[in-house]
Amino acid sequence: LTNQTVLVTGVTGEVGWGLAHAARAAGANLVLPVRSAEQVGALESEFSGALVRPVRFTDEASLTALASEAGGRFGAVHHVFSP
């Protein structure tokens, strides 16, 4: 996964957390959507360099904004892990 970008949902749960750590250990860039803005700071500290943003998966504009920011920052999202 070196230099590829991985989007991991559910990162505040055990499975998502483990997937994010495994992807990072394999050299991936991370995109981590979360449910609330309060979660952003802790995850940015844990996963330095990751793109962490609050997202509503039922809101198309929210998803489009995340995809646009991820594309601008990392070029593309290559893999999606959604436990």
Side-chain angles (χ1 to χ4, degrees):
L1 296 174
T2 301
N3 295 322
Q4 293 187 16
T5 300
V6 175
L7 184 149
V8 181
T9 66
V11 73
T12 58
E14 290 180 17
V15 175
W17 185 265
L19 286 170
H21 274 282
R24 172 51 58 88
N29 301 310
L30 296 176
V31 177
L32 307 174
V34 294
R35 291 184 186 201
S36 74
E38 290 79 32
Q39 298 168 316
V40 172
L43 289 170
E44 285 178 334
S45 294
E46 180 71 24
F47 299 100
S48 179
L51 174 60
V52 184
R53 295 292 179 268
V55 172
R56 287 186 29 222
F57 283 97
T58 58
D59 178 31
E60 185 176 343
S62 182
L63 294 171
T64 300
L66 178 66
S68 178
E69 189 172 0
R73 186 162 171 183
F74 300 121
V77 173
H78 302 95
H79 308 280
V80 175
F81 297 139
S82 183

